[in-house]
Amino acid sequence: AEIHKLLSEMAPLQKLEDESGGRLLSIKETQMMGKKHELEDKVLQLEDSCRGWFEDDDFFHNRLQISRDAFNAKQKTVKKKSKGSTATKTAIPRWVTPGQTKSATSKSS
């Protein structure tokens, strides 16, 4: 869970790095890249710490890949939901005074 949290924090930083395309970064962007490297190191430490004592390399790397794939699939569904929700219109509630019925508010609009 903590690894997924760190990966979520790292996603916008990775996007910034991909979009930079070799151009010089501003001071703020450079600081953000430094934070990205710190997050990557922390993720690697957490991944190594979750390795079992008698777990061989192949099994461990397969388990890590499954976890990463699950995280990526979850991120894709979250992005799809957030894109779809921006297009929907939210209903604005109307004020109802005491004694006023619901049918009276619908007739007045």
Side-chain angles (χ1 to χ4, degrees):
E2 189 173 342
I3 293 173
H4 287 202
K5 179 183 165 195
L6 292 173
L7 289 174
S8 296
E9 289 179 26
M10 202 166 50
L13 301 175
Q14 182 64 42
K15 184 177 179 183
L16 174 67
E17 184 178 33
D18 293 342
E19 291 175 350
S20 69
R23 69 174 170 84
L24 291 176
L25 301 175
S26 68
I27 294 173
K28 184 178 179 181
E29 291 171 333
T30 305
Q31 290 172 345
M32 291 170 67
M33 287 299 109
K35 183 176 179 174
K36 178 184 175 277
H37 295 299
E38 291 173 8
L39 291 173
E40 286 174 341
D41 291 341
K42 182 69 174 169
V43 167
L44 288 174
Q45 288 175 356
L46 289 172
E47 286 176 346
D48 287 340
S49 69
C50 74
R51 183 178 184 153
W53 283 7
F54 301 107
E55 192 172 30
D56 65 349
D57 290 337
D58 292 335
F59 186 77
F60 176 66
H61 291 296
N62 286 338
R63 191 165 56 86
L64 280 180
Q65 191 61 42
I66 290 169
S67 174
R68 290 176 185 150
D69 291 343
F71 174 76
N72 290 335
K74 182 180 176 184
Q75 289 297 102
K76 287 180 183 179
T77 58
V78 168
K79 285 181 183 178
K80 286 181 184 179
K81 286 182 182 178
S82 66
K83 285 182 181 179
S85 66
T86 56
T88 59
K89 216 175 184 183
T90 57
I92 300 172
R94 298 201 180 260
W95 290 97
V96 178
T97 58
Q100 187 178 16
T101 61
K102 196 171 191 175
S103 60
T105 59
S106 63
K107 288 179 184 178
S108 65
S109 33

